[in-house]
Amino acid sequence: MKTRGKILWVDDEIEHLKPHILFLEEKGFEIETASNGADGIKLTKNRNIDLALLDQYMPGMDGMDTLRELKKIDSALPVIMVTRSEEESLMNEAISEKVTQFLIKPVNPSQVFMAIKQVLESGQIREEKTTRDFLKEYQDISTQKKETFSVEEWWDLYQQLVHWQLELDNHNEPGLQSILEEEIQSSNHEFSRFVLKSYSDWVKSESRPPMSVDVVERFVLPELESGKKACFLVLDCLRHDQLMALVPLLSSIFQVDIQFHVSILPTATPYSRNALFSGMYFDELLKKYPDQLTAMNSGVGLNQFEETYLRHLLDKNDLSQIGMHYHKIWSAEHGIKFQHRIGDYLNIDLLAIVVNFVDQLAHKQSESSVLKEMVSDESAFCRAVVSWFKNSWLLDVLKYLGENGYRIILTSDHGSICVHKGVMVKADKDTSTGVRYKVGRNLNCDEKFSVKVHKPSDYKLPEMGHQSTYLFARDSAFFLYPNQMKKYQNTFKNSFQHGGISMEEMLIPVAVLEKR
């Protein structure tokens, strides 16, 4: 018969605990006993012990001394301390020595059993519940008629998928993760159909879902109009799963209200971030600000006019009196300098901050074999973002701003997707170099993996030259040219890219943070 676990019980009155031991053995546990700390330590050295029960008060080597010696043998060994005392100082000492649980004497067999079960089996119980809950919800998700979804229903579905993605990260069930990955791929395929059907109507209608062009007017200006100070924080390339991984950190400081907007196409910084700050689609932007087109053609300063655009957007909404400061942060050193000066900006009504860490990590991942190994999938990417944020200057800045009356509107311009399938593109030599989107003439690609826009004005995009068209990758595809195909296949496969059509790239969270 398989044992549920091997327990070491050390107590100087162990002979009086026979009923407890028999009860535990009936429940399937194997019990090793010792009447003093020294014997308990010897048993631990010679047995594979799963958990130790220690009496705190024993002659000679007491429970605390025994605990310290046991931890030297196995630092991860869970220990339940059994004590007659309820003094807080003794409990504090035991907690500092990494006691897992306390039991106060007298104890009955059921109490001991429940404590052991909680320590040794709570993870398994939670995993079994997670499996049941996931499979039940998966059935609901997979049978939904996604072809009839509204954009709000797509957002709800995406939130469900992100929830399970984060939940299963700590769940040792590769089979469940594979099921979820397949559902995400299937949903993304349906989502691209939805976008193809809906996008041109959205950009021409006032009743559209909130898009990049609406973010400032929808989420930021109401704060300013009501007399509040606002920080508009754009974490370039932040995905919804990454934000949700940050929520435990944020929610200890702020009340967090999460909404969403839809990134315009292409889901790339020159387009979607300029749309955030200007409130304009890209064809409108280039007509009003031709210098932006010059910057794009030269490949330099693609987003150098964001402060101007935002100032003009405030003026357009009769908020010319609003004091504004714009800051773009490219490096940790730059961020630390900004942190040191943050007190200088507390009289500013609107702080607009762009932070490029996540975008840089996504781009560098495809260029570095070490980063590609470290940030190999969505889960690893989330962990990297959380690690950075927890230890960054930014978290301290947000705390400080919250304490000084700022409401923070945190969002991104676009997300990214881990790409797996390289697909061939035929194009003219002057075609743009994007991995998930192309602009040029004579663009041809398999329609299973791409969306071709013959008339850019339908998507509120400019014609970048005579007879120019746009090509967007869908699902997890990325574009390859026939020349040096194998080289770029190896470079970009399993990297994080953006510019195309997917839930990860287009459904962007907007988190409103208010200090608790």
Side-chain angles (χ1 to χ4, degrees), residues 452-468:
K452 187 174 181 179
V453 179
H454 295 275
K455 193 177 178 183
S457 60
D458 286 345
Y459 278 42
K460 300 289 282 181
L461 289 167
E463 291 201 18
M464 308 293 277
H466 181 60
Q467 294 183 335
S468 63

Side-chain angles (χ1 to χ4, degrees), residues 373-428:
E373 191 171 349
M374 290 176 61
V375 187
S376 57
D377 57 19
E378 286 83 355
S379 300
F381 203 165
C382 277
R383 289 193 295 271
V385 171
V386 170
S387 177
W388 162 74
F389 187 77
K390 183 191 292 187
N391 298 291
S392 75
W393 56 271
L394 181 57
L395 184 56
D396 290 333
V397 164
L398 295 184
K399 286 181 191 174
Y400 185 77
L401 291 176
E403 289 164 357
N404 284 277
Y406 278 87
R407 189 166 291 184
I408 296 149
I409 297 88
L410 188 165
T411 191
S412 186
D413 44 0
H414 57 76
S416 67
I417 186 170
C418 191
V419 296
H420 304 297
K421 184 171 182 57
V423 295
M424 195 76 68
V425 172
K426 293 181 180 177
D428 285 359

Side-chain angles (χ1 to χ4, degrees), residues 137-182:
E137 194 161 324
Y138 167 72
Q139 288 181 329
D140 295 338
I141 290 171
S142 61
T143 56
Q144 290 175 17
K145 295 183 178 179
K146 302 181 182 70
E147 65 270 13
T148 63
F149 270 16
S150 66
V151 68
E152 289 78 15
E153 287 171 313
W154 274 110
W155 171 245
D156 290 342
L157 172 64
Y158 182 41
Q159 289 190 99
Q160 282 181 283
L161 295 171
V162 163
H163 164 77
W164 285 113
Q165 181 184 326
L166 296 174
E167 191 73 21
L168 295 182
D169 279 350
N170 300 316
H171 192 74
N172 190 25
E173 271 290 351
L176 295 184
Q177 291 172 336
S178 295
I179 291 171
L180 179 62
E181 287 168 10
E182 288 174 10

Side-chain angles (χ1 to χ4, degrees), residues 285-329:
L285 182 76
L286 294 190
K287 286 175 186 174
K288 185 166 183 177
Y289 303 103
D291 286 347
Q292 180 66 57
L293 180 59
T294 304
M296 287 192 69
N297 289 334
S298 67
V300 178
L302 299 181
N303 290 76
Q304 63 180 335
F305 306 115
E306 290 165 353
E307 183 175 6
T308 300
Y309 299 157
L310 183 55
R311 183 75 264 176
H312 289 177
L313 188 55
L314 292 174
D315 294 345
K316 174 188 166 186
N317 285 274
D318 299 321
L319 290 170
S320 55
Q321 79 283 3
I322 291 294
M324 184 195 83
H325 176 76
Y326 169 89
H327 217 98
K328 187 184 297 184
I329 297 171

Side-chain angles (χ1 to χ4, degrees), residues 212-217 220 232-236 269 271-280 285 289 303 305-314 317 324-328 350-355 411-413:
S212 306
V213 295
D214 305 306
V215 168
V216 170
E217 291 188 353
V220 180
F232 181 41
L233 173 61
V234 179
L235 292 183
D236 192 348
T269 301
Y271 296 86
S272 55
R273 206 164 81 200
N274 278 321
L276 278 183
F277 284 95
S278 68
M280 294 181 183
L285 182 76
Y289 303 103
N303 290 76
F305 306 115
E306 290 165 353
E307 183 175 6
T308 300
Y309 299 157
L310 183 55
R311 183 75 264 176
H312 289 177
L313 188 55
L314 292 174
N317 285 274
M324 184 195 83
H325 176 76
Y326 169 89
H327 217 98
K328 187 184 297 184
L350 173 60
L351 285 176
I353 306 171
V354 175
V355 180
T411 191
S412 186
D413 44 0

